[in-house]
Amino acid sequence: MNTFLKKSLLLLTLAVAVAALAACGSEEEGLTLQNEEWEDVSISGKDKPTVFFHFTGVD
């Protein structure tokens, strides 16, 4: 039973690591967001700080 728990924890840790790496993407693409016209806007490599606003649409 102890071996089963160790293997399960290892597989869970591996799955979380793979998911985190997949979510990060590659550095070549840079970090992009979509503006109000659904166009991609790059926010990486800027000289000035960027402020983000997130509107949820809650009434």
Side-chain angles (χ1 to χ4, degrees):
M1 183 72 173
N2 194 14
T3 305
F4 176 73
L5 290 176
K6 286 181 182 179
K7 286 183 181 180
S8 297
L9 182 61
L10 177 66
L11 289 175
L12 179 64
T13 305
L14 182 64
V16 169
V18 168
L21 289 173
C24 291
S26 66
E27 292 183 19
E28 295 175 3
E29 297 173 5
L31 186 58
T32 59
L33 294 175
Q34 293 179 340
N35 63 7
E36 59 272 1
E37 284 111 26
W38 300 103
E39 299 170 347
D40 287 338
V41 178
S42 176
I43 59 170
S44 59
K46 293 193 176 243
D47 295 333
K48 297 181 181 178
T50 304
V51 178
F52 298 104
F53 293 98
H54 177 74
F55 298 100
T56 60
V58 175
D59 291 333

